[in-house]
Amino acid sequence: MSFNADPVELLGSSPLFADLAGAELVQLAALAHRRSVKPRETICRKGAPGGQMFAVLRGRLKVTTVSSEGREAILALLSTGDLFGEVSLLDGAPRSANVIAVTSGELLVLERADMLAFLEGQPPVSQKLMLALCRRLRSTDALIEDLLFRPLTSRLARRLLELGREHGQAHPRGVRITLRLSQEELGQLSGSSRESVNRQLAQWDNAGVVTNEGGHLLLLDLNTLQELANKS
C-alpha cells in the first residue's frame, strides 16, 4: 500500500479484524489517527506505558531489545500492513520491547481506551487478540531456543526463510526478499556478529544457496536452507 493507503482497507486486510463487516471497519478506522515517523525515531520504548496499538501504513520498522552490555537484537521487522502494540491492549502493561523506525513512514494509531470500548461489542476480535498474544509468546520461546541451542548456520537459515515467507516475492531463480537488509541487521536478527554473517553469506553465495541481487537477498535453494534450519 502507498502513503495514501486506505485505513479501512489496511485494517480489513489484517487477520485480527478479518471478521468485521464493512461498517464496523469504518467505525474502527474512524477511531484512529495518523502519525508520521522519521528514520531512527523510537515509537515504543521498552518499559514505557503501553497505551496504543499501531498499524503500519508505510515504511519499515524494527522491534528490538538491548542487553545490559548494550548489544541490540532485532526481534522482528515490520512493514506495510503489520500491526504492533496489540498485546498492551490486553493488560495495559509496559512495553516489552523497543520499536524503532528504519525508514520514514506513516502509522495508524489506535488508543487503548477507544479500542477497549470497541472490543466490548466484538468478542471475535478479543479472542483473536488472545491468539496473537499466544503466538507472540511461542515466537519468543522459539527465538530463545534458537539462541541457546542452534549454530549460526541454522539460526541464519531460519531467519532468511521467515523473511522469505513474510517479505518475499516469487522470482525466476527463487524467492526475493523485498526488504533491503544490512549485514548488521541480519546479525542482530540471528544473534551473531556482522562479520560472521558476512562469512556465512559468502559461503552460501559460492554454493548457490543465497545471493545478493541489487541490494536484495535472493533465496536460491530453499531445500538446503530448510535442511540447515532444522539442524541443532
Side-chain angles (χ1 to χ4, degrees), residues 6-14 17-18 25 28-29 55 83 108 110:
D6 179 7
V8 175
E9 182 182 355
L10 184 142
L11 292 172
S13 69
S14 168
F17 303 118
L25 286 170
L28 178 61
L83 303 180
L108 199 63
L110 287 156

Side-chain angles (χ1 to χ4, degrees), residues 131-142:
L131 290 174
L133 175 58
C134 292
R135 285 194 297 270
R136 187 72 51 83
L137 291 173
R138 290 181 185 276
S139 177
T140 301
D141 288 345

Side-chain angles (χ1 to χ4, degrees), residues 55-66:
V56 183
L57 286 167
R58 179 180 64 89
R60 181 157 67 95
L61 304 93
K62 59 181 180 179
V63 182
T64 75
T65 188
V66 180

